[in-house]
Amino acid sequence: MTDRLSAATSTAGHNRHDTLIPRPRIQPVSPVERLLLGPGPTSVHPRVLGATAAPTVSHIDPIFISIMEEVKELLRYAFQTENAFTVPISGPGSAAMEASFVNLLEPGDKVIICRNGVFGNRMVQIAERCRAVVVAIDDEWGEPVDPEKLRQALQAHPDSKVVAFVHAETSTGVLSDAEALSALAREAGCLTIVDTVTSLVGVPLFIDAWGIDVAYSGSQKCLSCPPGLSPTTFSKAAIDRIRARQTPAQSWFLDVGLLLSYWSDDSRVYHHTAPVNAIYGLREALLMVAEEELPAAWSRHSLHQRALSVGLEALGLELLVAERYRLAPLTTVRIPANIADKTVRAHLLDRFGIEIGAGLGPLAGKVWRIGLMGKNSASTSVLRCLEALNAVLIELGADLAQGIAVERAESLYRSNAGSR
Ligand SMILES: *Cc1c(COP(=O)(O)O)cnc(C)c1O
């Protein structure tokens, strides 16, 4: 292959070789193994990566159709639901967030959105673009959604049709009481949209028992898959609402009516080309969840979060969130005074191969977000993180009780022997 078109093919006009944009000469950067302890993506299990390397079949191949059915069944287990429409949407978590709102809301519909972080705020922005009437109720960043405020808002706005909130606010590390909030919405006759991106598999979540209508997640959090798919579930009541719409959903790609036909087990109407290999990976991750079983996954995430917390506190660091609202898959810790946020994160990444997350919005520069999600919810991640953080902070002159962090975490593990 020559870089330039030969004289023979070089004719007049746009085919002339002197108009060819030269081929790029790049030195491709290779990804290296990192310990991903940020807000997502988390490290991907080798079994999942291996599964994505299986031969690509067509999305209409009977083999793939069987795999889709398996994925639906496995997702129903992960979400604890019998909802027929339980599928991975092709796109990151934000795509499923958008799908939830554009399908349930019509222009002029009133929606109450509980906002206590970045993702609640995004819900407001999406709902506004649906030209819905948004009633936003706010709680402090670092606090859970207050059910009492929702109760009052439902009373003040009896014409509300939908209530939306984030179960696990990854921007702050707070878990809200999805069961209580959903019950209030239900009593008031509202459908619920619940962001379970970081809670799915990481903390107890019962879509049917809690009466949640629409929930969505992301492949790259506690499922330990590569980013790009967003598991979603819609209740029968939500599907009925969509079928009764006066106006078509504003998004063609995310129209659940169309996706229903694509994912249905009998008539599969072409909608888009599913990301076949990514779905192999998701199936593998979901098989692993089923093998471990949900209660074991939930207690594993809780144990390692507690070990990380005692370790961070032993370093003299302060956690943002009160113990009872702490989110097992993600811990927010205050950055000590006089310590440069970016320098610490850069040292952790460059020297220890560990990524932790920065603060967002009002918490930018004030906290770090340390994720222990899926595969990385493990004692090895906790101990490596504490050790590295200890070393970097001491080096940067922080006044810390050196060395005891790992010891405290180890001691918590010893008293929970058998569960690591
Ligand atoms: C990560 C996250 C999202 C967005 O997911 P993307 O895959 O980044 O689009 C939404 N909600 C919450 C709570 C998240 O943690």
Side-chain angles (χ1 to χ4, degrees):
M1 275 292 258
T2 62
D3 289 354
R4 290 153 170 267
L5 294 177
S6 74
T9 57
S10 165
T11 53
H14 66 271
N15 256 352
R16 286 178 39 173
H17 65 77
D18 57 1
T19 67
L20 181 72
I21 294 173
R23 75 175 170 99
R25 295 176 183 278
I26 54 172
Q27 300 283 330
V29 171
S30 299
V32 297
E33 188 71 38
R34 304 272 202 211
L35 181 60
L36 297 178
L37 303 183
T42 190
S43 307
V44 177
H45 197 282
R47 249 179 84 177
V48 173
L49 278 180
T52 63
T56 303
V57 296
S58 154
H59 67 128
I60 57 163
D61 189 306
I63 293 174
F64 185 66
I65 292 170
S66 300
I67 290 175
M68 268 166 117
E69 289 307 305
E70 291 168 12
V71 167
K72 283 157 70 178
E73 195 177 329
L74 289 160
L75 275 180
R76 286 189 198 107
Y77 170 69
F79 275 121
Q80 289 292 290
T81 182
E82 289 175 358
N83 288 341
F85 188 72
T86 304
V87 304
I89 286 191
S90 305
S94 306
M97 184 190 282
E98 184 129 2
S100 307
F101 286 88
V102 301
N103 282 283
L104 281 202
L105 293 176
E106 292 198 69
D109 283 353
K110 192 176 267 190
V111 53
I112 299 180
I113 300 179
C114 309
R115 181 164 60 173
N116 62 340
V118 164
F119 295 103
N121 198 43
R122 270 199 195 170
M123 288 177 154
V124 170
Q125 290 169 354
I126 295 176
E128 282 171 349
R129 288 191 187 205
C130 297
R131 288 182 288 130
V133 177
V134 178
V135 177
I137 57 174
D138 285 293
D139 281 292
E140 289 294 316
W141 287 45
E143 296 289 331
V145 173
D146 181 356
E148 181 53 28
K149 284 191 191 164
L150 174 60
R151 203 184 54 76
Q152 286 169 11
L154 285 164
Q155 247 165 24
H157 301 278
D159 53 337
S160 301
K161 296 198 163 160
V162 172
V163 168
F165 61 89
V166 178
H167 187 202
E169 229 332 323
T170 325
S171 60
T172 62
V174 167
L175 185 69
S176 288
D177 186 344
E179 183 175 16
L181 296 169
S182 307
L184 286 169
R186 224 177 158 75
E187 278 161 30
C190 289
L191 295 180
T192 43
I193 297 177
V194 185
D195 178 317
T196 61
V197 174
T198 296
S199 57
L200 184 73
V201 178
V203 300
L205 171 65
F206 297 91
I207 297 301
D208 288 1
W210 294 352
I212 293 171
D213 291 291
V214 174
Y216 57 86
S217 189
S219 50
Q220 77 277 28
K221 312 253 172 153
C222 297
L223 287 167
S224 281
C225 273
L229 285 172
S230 44
T232 309
T233 187
F234 279 63
S235 70
K236 178 162 184 312
I239 300 291
D240 289 347
R241 172 78 56 88
I242 294 167
R243 292 218 158 105
R245 287 181 68 101
Q246 307 288 308
T247 54
Q250 73 195 55
S251 167
W252 178 88
F253 183 63
L254 297 172
D255 183 330
V256 163
L258 302 175
L259 290 172
L260 262 170
S261 316
Y262 184 49
W263 278 94
S264 87
D265 32 12
D266 40 7
S267 69
R268 290 175 36 86
V269 179
Y270 168 66
H271 179 257
H272 67 284
T273 309
V276 170
N277 293 60
I279 287 177
Y280 298 161
L282 179 64
R283 180 182 62 163
E284 197 64 24
L286 290 166
L287 284 168
M288 292 177 67
V289 170
E291 285 164 19
E292 181 178 20
E293 300 208 15
L294 286 170
W298 298 332
S299 34
R300 176 168 55 85
H301 281 84
S302 161
L303 171 69
H304 297 301
Q305 197 278 334
R306 282 180 284 128
L308 178 68
S309 296
V310 298
L312 291 171
E313 284 173 338
L315 281 174
L317 301 178
E318 193 190 330
L319 301 189
L320 178 76
V321 179
E323 192 169 352
R324 65 181 191 283
Y325 305 125
R326 273 179 210 156
L327 186 56
L330 188 115
T331 302
T332 32
V333 56
R334 290 191 191 275
I335 301 172
N338 310 322
I339 290 292
D341 169 20
K342 281 190 186 150
T343 313
V344 172
R345 285 187 289 112
H347 277 275
L348 288 175
L349 190 66
D350 297 341
R351 292 167 44 210
F352 295 88
I354 298 176
E355 183 190 79
I356 65 168
L360 289 179
L363 296 175
K366 299 206 170 101
V367 298
W368 290 309
R369 294 182 298 151
I370 306 181
L372 294 172
M373 299 182 185
K375 167 183 180 287
N376 283 349
S377 171
S379 55
T380 46
S381 325
V382 171
L383 300 177
R384 263 183 73 184
C385 176
L386 290 173
E387 215 157 54
L389 203 51
N390 192 347
V392 171
L393 288 174
I394 294 276
E395 207 174 276
L396 295 178
D399 183 18
L400 302 176
Q402 195 170 4
I404 63 167
V406 165
E407 196 177 299
R408 292 279 161 81
E410 289 272 34
S411 128
L412 184 131
Y413 284 131
R414 273 193 300 277
S415 56
N416 286 271
S419 39
R420 56 196 290 191

Short mmCIF file of all heavy atoms in Angstrom, two decimals, residues 84-85 103-104 106 191 234-249 255-262 264 266-267:
data_model
loop_
_atom_site.label_atom_id
_atom_site.label_comp_id
_atom_site.label_asym_id
_atom_site.label_seq_id
_atom_site.Cartn_x
_atom_site.Cartn_y
_atom_site.Cartn_z
N ALA A 84 -42.18 -8.01 32.24
CA ALA A 84 -41.84 -8.58 30.93
C ALA A 84 -40.80 -7.70 30.23
O ALA A 84 -39.85 -8.20 29.64
CB ALA A 84 -43.10 -8.70 30.08
N PHE A 85 -40.99 -6.37 30.29
CA PHE A 85 -40.04 -5.48 29.60
C PHE A 85 -38.88 -5.16 30.53
O PHE A 85 -38.89 -4.18 31.28
CB PHE A 85 -40.73 -4.20 29.11
CG PHE A 85 -39.83 -3.35 28.24
CD1 PHE A 85 -39.51 -3.76 26.95
CD2 PHE A 85 -39.27 -2.17 28.72
CE1 PHE A 85 -38.66 -2.99 26.15
CE2 PHE A 85 -38.43 -1.40 27.92
CZ PHE A 85 -38.12 -1.81 26.64
N ASN A 103 -40.47 8.48 27.68
CA ASN A 103 -41.59 7.57 27.46
C ASN A 103 -42.75 7.81 28.43
O ASN A 103 -43.90 7.69 28.05
CB ASN A 103 -41.12 6.12 27.54
CG ASN A 103 -40.42 5.70 26.26
OD1 ASN A 103 -41.07 5.43 25.26
ND2 ASN A 103 -39.09 5.67 26.29
N LEU A 104 -42.42 8.10 29.69
CA LEU A 104 -43.50 8.26 30.68
C LEU A 104 -44.14 9.63 30.65
O LEU A 104 -45.29 9.79 31.05
CB LEU A 104 -42.98 7.98 32.10
CG LEU A 104 -42.81 6.53 32.52
CD1 LEU A 104 -42.84 6.42 34.04
CD2 LEU A 104 -43.88 5.62 31.94
N GLU A 106 -45.51 13.21 29.01
CA GLU A 106 -45.98 13.94 27.83
C GLU A 106 -45.95 15.43 28.17
O GLU A 106 -45.96 15.80 29.34
CB GLU A 106 -47.41 13.52 27.48
CG GLU A 106 -47.46 12.10 26.97
CD GLU A 106 -48.75 11.80 26.23
OE1 GLU A 106 -48.94 12.35 25.12
OE2 GLU A 106 -49.56 11.02 26.75
N LEU A 191 -46.74 7.14 39.08
CA LEU A 191 -45.75 6.15 38.67
C LEU A 191 -44.38 6.63 39.15
O LEU A 191 -44.16 7.83 39.33
CB LEU A 191 -45.73 6.01 37.14
CG LEU A 191 -46.99 5.46 36.48
CD1 LEU A 191 -46.81 5.39 34.97
CD2 LEU A 191 -47.35 4.07 37.02
N PHE A 234 -39.50 -1.87 33.01
CA PHE A 234 -40.74 -1.09 33.04
C PHE A 234 -41.87 -1.99 33.51
O PHE A 234 -42.05 -3.09 32.97
CB PHE A 234 -41.09 -0.58 31.62
CG PHE A 234 -40.35 0.67 31.18
CD1 PHE A 234 -38.98 0.65 31.03
CD2 PHE A 234 -41.04 1.84 30.90
CE1 PHE A 234 -38.29 1.79 30.61
CE2 PHE A 234 -40.37 2.99 30.47
CZ PHE A 234 -39.00 2.97 30.33
N SER A 235 -42.65 -1.52 34.47
CA SER A 235 -43.79 -2.30 34.97
C SER A 235 -44.92 -2.29 33.94
O SER A 235 -44.91 -1.50 32.99
CB SER A 235 -44.30 -1.69 36.27
OG SER A 235 -44.93 -0.44 36.00
N LYS A 236 -45.91 -3.15 34.17
CA LYS A 236 -47.06 -3.19 33.28
C LYS A 236 -47.79 -1.84 33.30
O LYS A 236 -48.22 -1.34 32.26
CB LYS A 236 -48.01 -4.31 33.71
CG LYS A 236 -49.25 -4.36 32.86
CD LYS A 236 -50.02 -5.66 32.91
CE LYS A 236 -51.18 -5.63 31.93
NZ LYS A 236 -52.01 -4.39 32.02
N ALA A 237 -47.90 -1.24 34.50
CA ALA A 237 -48.57 0.07 34.59
C ALA A 237 -47.82 1.11 33.76
O ALA A 237 -48.45 1.95 33.10
CB ALA A 237 -48.64 0.52 36.06
N ALA A 238 -46.51 1.03 33.75
CA ALA A 238 -45.72 1.99 32.96
C ALA A 238 -45.95 1.75 31.46
O ALA A 238 -46.12 2.69 30.69
CB ALA A 238 -44.23 1.87 33.30
N ILE A 239 -45.99 0.48 31.07
CA ILE A 239 -46.22 0.16 29.65
C ILE A 239 -47.63 0.62 29.24
O ILE A 239 -47.82 1.18 28.16
CB ILE A 239 -46.04 -1.36 29.39
CG1 ILE A 239 -44.61 -1.81 29.74
CG2 ILE A 239 -46.42 -1.73 27.95
CD1 ILE A 239 -43.52 -1.29 28.83
N ASP A 240 -48.61 0.41 30.13
CA ASP A 240 -49.97 0.86 29.83
C ASP A 240 -50.01 2.37 29.63
O ASP A 240 -50.68 2.88 28.73
CB ASP A 240 -50.94 0.46 30.96
CG ASP A 240 -51.19 -1.05 30.98
OD1 ASP A 240 -50.81 -1.73 30.00
OD2 ASP A 240 -51.73 -1.55 32.00
N ARG A 241 -49.28 3.08 30.50
CA ARG A 241 -49.23 4.54 30.37
C ARG A 241 -48.64 4.93 29.01
O ARG A 241 -49.13 5.84 28.33
CB ARG A 241 -48.39 5.13 31.52
CG ARG A 241 -48.08 6.61 31.44
CD ARG A 241 -49.24 7.50 31.86
NE ARG A 241 -49.73 7.22 33.19
CZ ARG A 241 -49.25 7.78 34.31
NH1 ARG A 241 -48.29 8.67 34.24
NH2 ARG A 241 -49.74 7.48 35.49
N ILE A 242 -47.59 4.22 28.61
CA ILE A 242 -46.94 4.53 27.32
C ILE A 242 -47.90 4.25 26.16
O ILE A 242 -48.01 5.03 25.22
CB ILE A 242 -45.62 3.73 27.19
CG1 ILE A 242 -44.61 4.20 28.23
CG2 ILE A 242 -45.05 3.83 25.78
CD1 ILE A 242 -43.41 3.29 28.41
N ARG A 243 -48.63 3.15 26.27
CA ARG A 243 -49.57 2.79 25.19
C ARG A 243 -50.70 3.80 25.08
O ARG A 243 -51.29 3.95 24.01
CB ARG A 243 -50.15 1.38 25.46
CG ARG A 243 -49.08 0.30 25.32
CD ARG A 243 -49.65 -0.96 24.67
NE ARG A 243 -48.59 -1.76 24.07
CZ ARG A 243 -48.13 -2.89 24.59
NH1 ARG A 243 -48.64 -3.38 25.72
NH2 ARG A 243 -47.17 -3.56 23.97
N ALA A 244 -51.00 4.47 26.20
CA ALA A 244 -52.11 5.43 26.18
C ALA A 244 -51.66 6.85 25.83
O ALA A 244 -52.45 7.80 25.90
CB ALA A 244 -52.80 5.42 27.56
N ARG A 245 -50.40 7.01 25.44
CA ARG A 245 -49.90 8.36 25.13
C ARG A 245 -50.70 9.01 24.00
O ARG A 245 -51.10 8.35 23.04
CB ARG A 245 -48.43 8.30 24.68
CG ARG A 245 -47.42 8.04 25.76
CD ARG A 245 -46.02 8.02 25.16
NE ARG A 245 -45.66 9.36 24.71
CZ ARG A 245 -44.87 10.18 25.39
NH1 ARG A 245 -44.31 9.77 26.53
NH2 ARG A 245 -44.61 11.38 24.95
N GLN A 246 -50.88 10.33 24.12
CA GLN A 246 -51.54 11.10 23.06
C GLN A 246 -50.54 11.48 21.98
O GLN A 246 -50.90 11.68 20.83
CB GLN A 246 -52.14 12.40 23.63
CG GLN A 246 -53.05 12.21 24.83
CD GLN A 246 -54.37 11.59 24.43
OE1 GLN A 246 -55.03 12.09 23.52
NE2 GLN A 246 -54.74 10.50 25.06
N THR A 247 -49.29 11.64 22.40
CA THR A 247 -48.24 12.10 21.48
C THR A 247 -47.13 11.05 21.47
O THR A 247 -46.89 10.43 22.49
CB THR A 247 -47.62 13.43 21.98
OG1 THR A 247 -47.18 13.23 23.33
CG2 THR A 247 -48.61 14.57 21.93
N PRO A 248 -46.46 10.86 20.32
CA PRO A 248 -45.36 9.90 20.33
C PRO A 248 -44.20 10.41 21.21
O PRO A 248 -44.03 11.62 21.35
CB PRO A 248 -44.93 9.83 18.86
CG PRO A 248 -45.51 11.03 18.20
CD PRO A 248 -46.66 11.51 19.01
N ALA A 249 -43.44 9.48 21.77
CA ALA A 249 -42.27 9.88 22.57
C ALA A 249 -41.35 10.72 21.68
O ALA A 249 -41.23 10.46 20.48
CB ALA A 249 -41.53 8.64 23.07
N ASP A 255 -37.77 5.03 22.00
CA ASP A 255 -39.21 4.80 22.12
C ASP A 255 -39.46 3.37 22.60
O ASP A 255 -39.17 2.40 21.89
CB ASP A 255 -39.86 5.03 20.74
CG ASP A 255 -41.38 4.90 20.77
OD1 ASP A 255 -41.89 4.12 21.60
OD2 ASP A 255 -42.04 5.56 19.96
N VAL A 256 -39.99 3.25 23.81
CA VAL A 256 -40.18 1.92 24.40
C VAL A 256 -41.19 1.09 23.60
O VAL A 256 -41.08 -0.14 23.53
CB VAL A 256 -40.56 2.04 25.89
CG1 VAL A 256 -41.17 0.76 26.43
CG2 VAL A 256 -39.33 2.41 26.71
N GLY A 257 -42.14 1.76 22.98
CA GLY A 257 -43.10 1.03 22.14
C GLY A 257 -42.37 0.26 21.05
O GLY A 257 -42.65 -0.92 20.79
N LEU A 258 -41.39 0.91 20.43
CA LEU A 258 -40.62 0.26 19.37
C LEU A 258 -39.66 -0.78 19.95
O LEU A 258 -39.47 -1.86 19.39
CB LEU A 258 -39.83 1.30 18.57
CG LEU A 258 -40.66 2.41 17.90
CD1 LEU A 258 -39.75 3.45 17.25
CD2 LEU A 258 -41.60 1.81 16.86
N LEU A 259 -39.06 -0.45 21.09
CA LEU A 259 -38.11 -1.39 21.72
C LEU A 259 -38.81 -2.66 22.18
O LEU A 259 -38.24 -3.74 22.16
CB LEU A 259 -37.39 -0.72 22.90
CG LEU A 259 -36.40 0.38 22.52
CD1 LEU A 259 -35.90 1.12 23.76
CD2 LEU A 259 -35.22 -0.19 21.73
N LEU A 260 -40.08 -2.50 22.58
CA LEU A 260 -40.87 -3.66 23.00
C LEU A 260 -40.95 -4.69 21.87
O LEU A 260 -40.79 -5.89 22.10
CB LEU A 260 -42.30 -3.22 23.33
CG LEU A 260 -42.66 -2.98 24.77
CD1 LEU A 260 -44.03 -2.33 24.84
CD2 LEU A 260 -42.63 -4.26 25.57
N SER A 261 -41.19 -4.20 20.65
CA SER A 261 -41.31 -5.13 19.52
C SER A 261 -39.96 -5.74 19.19
O SER A 261 -39.88 -6.88 18.75
CB SER A 261 -41.83 -4.41 18.28
OG SER A 261 -42.88 -3.57 18.60
N TYR A 262 -38.89 -4.96 19.41
CA TYR A 262 -37.56 -5.47 19.09
C TYR A 262 -37.15 -6.57 20.07
O TYR A 262 -36.56 -7.57 19.69
CB TYR A 262 -36.56 -4.32 19.14
CG TYR A 262 -35.15 -4.69 18.73
CD1 TYR A 262 -34.90 -5.41 17.56
CD2 TYR A 262 -34.05 -4.30 19.49
CE1 TYR A 262 -33.61 -5.74 17.18
CE2 TYR A 262 -32.76 -4.62 19.11
CZ TYR A 262 -32.54 -5.34 17.96
OH TYR A 262 -31.27 -5.66 17.57
N SER A 264 -39.23 -8.35 22.02
CA SER A 264 -40.26 -9.34 22.38
C SER A 264 -39.83 -10.73 21.91
O SER A 264 -39.09 -10.88 20.94
CB SER A 264 -41.61 -8.95 21.77
OG SER A 264 -41.70 -9.48 20.48
N ASP A 266 -41.54 -13.23 20.66
CA ASP A 266 -42.12 -13.82 19.44
C ASP A 266 -41.83 -13.00 18.17
O ASP A 266 -41.07 -13.42 17.31
CB ASP A 266 -43.62 -14.10 19.61
CG ASP A 266 -44.35 -13.00 20.36
OD1 ASP A 266 -43.71 -11.95 20.64
OD2 ASP A 266 -45.53 -13.18 20.67
N SER A 267 -42.39 -11.76 18.12
CA SER A 267 -42.19 -10.99 16.89
C SER A 267 -41.04 -10.03 17.09
O SER A 267 -41.15 -9.07 17.82
CB SER A 267 -43.45 -10.17 16.61
OG SER A 267 -43.57 -9.16 17.58
#
